[in-house]
Amino acid sequence: MHDSRETIAHHAFVTGYPVKHSRSPLIHGYWLETLGIHGSYTRQEISPEDFAGFVSRLKSGESGFIGGNVTIPHKETAFALADRPDALSEELGASNTLWLEDGALHATNTDGFGFLANLDAAAPGWDKTDRAVVLGAGGASRAIIQAVRDRGVGEIHVVNRTVARAQELADRFGPKVHAHDMAALSEVSKAAGLFVNTTSLGMDGEPAPDFDFSPLAQGAVVTDIVYVPLVTPILSQAKAQGFATVDGLGMLLHQAAPGFEKWFGQRPTVDAELRRRILADMEAH
């Protein structure tokens, strides 16, 4: 029987420094397999001093890649080197997804998309609130603040040990975003429908302080972008206090989908089997 599937093999990558622990090849490999697409997705460990040369070879076609994902520490440089970064990347000053199109290197940032898609899948209706609390003001918080603001949440309160860093985000993302130090956490949590941990608290078994989630609105959702462990101390505390929780693994899975579609021409699905495979890999390591 004639096979009508695309016979041109497209090749994509994930680059970072280091990048050996990235689970992106597992995610994209699963989609390539299940969709029957002839292509590849591989790790490319590129040092900061070699990154500009890597992007140059990508643009020229010498590398053989059609695009790829960019992770720490290259996201800001990827944005700067792209020919056509989109509006999301422009505001964030960072890109995590690159692709060649019409002779130019395009760039976007899918972290915010992944965050929202995870919440939409696991806690539909979460966005029927006008107040959110974001704990932490590091690089991971930027795309989340942007996404929650763009979804229409009216007040976003960024709480951080160093209030100056939170204020930088308020200045960047506009009047809906407010900066606070940790002492204000309880006050700004009053009637909030969403609480997001963007810090590394509780990662890899590290302890986390006790949190009182009782000021949150009834029916509020607590989510954590950390996914190792899957149930972080913050999620465990929130669940024990009667709140709905959403783990961070779905954000990793959903943020990968837009790039896959750009490189391989089909929109993949984040399904239970993909999640099972990633969890099995986490348990094995």
Side-chain angles (χ1 to χ4, degrees):
M1 182 181 292
H2 177 66
D3 188 343
S4 62
R5 290 179 302 184
E6 180 66 67
T7 55
I8 298 172
H10 288 170
H11 305 287
F13 61 82
V14 57
T15 183
Y17 193 77
V19 79
K20 63 183 179 181
H21 298 302
S22 172
R23 291 186 170 89
S24 293
L26 269 177
I27 298 169
H28 292 281
Y30 170 75
W31 286 332
L32 288 169
E33 172 193 330
T34 55
L35 292 171
I37 294 173
H38 186 39
S40 71
Y41 183 100
T42 55
R43 294 181 185 88
Q44 302 290 314
E45 185 159 289
I46 307 294
S47 67
E49 54 267 33
D50 292 335
F51 187 70
F54 176 80
V55 172
S56 178
R57 292 189 296 277
L58 173 62
K59 288 183 179 184
S60 71
E62 181 187 341
S63 70
F65 291 114
I66 194 169
N69 286 125
V70 180
T71 188
I72 295 169
H74 301 320
K75 291 184 179 184
E76 289 83 4
T77 312
F79 160 73
L81 294 176
D83 301 314
R84 295 181 187 168
D86 69 359
L88 290 174
S89 293
E90 290 277 5
E91 186 176 37
L92 292 170
S95 301
N96 75 342
T97 303
L98 303 173
W99 71 97
L100 293 169
E101 184 180 329
D102 300 328
L105 184 63
H106 293 248
T108 189
N109 194 301
T110 66
D111 287 332
F113 168 85
F115 177 77
L116 295 182
N118 184 35
L119 282 179
D120 288 342
W126 69 269
D127 52 355
K128 291 181 173 62
T129 182
D130 206 44
R131 176 178 284 208
V133 176
V134 175
L135 183 64
S141 64
R142 287 187 182 189
I144 288 166
I145 292 167
Q146 182 188 58
V148 172
R149 181 203 65 189
D150 290 353
R151 179 56 72 92
V153 174
E155 292 180 24
I156 302 164
H157 297 275
V158 183
V159 180
N160 196 57
R161 284 179 300 181
T162 308
V163 73
R165 291 194 69 182
Q167 188 59 49
E168 287 174 14
L169 297 179
D171 294 341
R172 176 183 290 266
F173 294 107
K176 289 185 175 183
V177 184
H178 310 275
H180 309 274
D181 61 20
M182 291 297 292
L185 182 60
S186 181
E187 180 65 26
V188 300
S189 294
K190 287 180 180 175
L194 178 68
F195 183 102
V196 188
N197 176 43
T198 72
T199 75
S200 60
L201 288 173
M203 182 184 286
D204 289 327
E206 292 295 313
D210 291 334
F211 286 88
D212 176 14
F213 293 106
S214 62
L216 295 177
Q218 185 176 4
V221 175
V222 177
T223 187
D224 199 325
I225 68 167
V226 172
Y227 60 89
V228 180
L230 193 65
V231 180
T232 65
I234 286 175
L235 294 184
S236 182
Q237 291 178 41
K239 189 173 289 188
Q241 294 174 45
F243 290 94
T245 60
V246 177
D247 66 63
L249 180 56
M251 178 179 172
L252 172 73
L253 305 181
H254 284 283
Q255 63 80 29
F260 186 94
E261 185 176 22
K262 291 289 186 188
W263 311 316
F264 302 114
Q266 290 191 51
R267 186 64 167 222
T269 301
V270 174
D271 59 18
E273 175 58 18
L274 174 60
R275 184 177 169 91
R276 188 199 66 76
R277 289 194 185 194
I278 301 302
L279 286 172
D281 182 71
M282 288 165 55
E283 289 168 6
H285 296 88

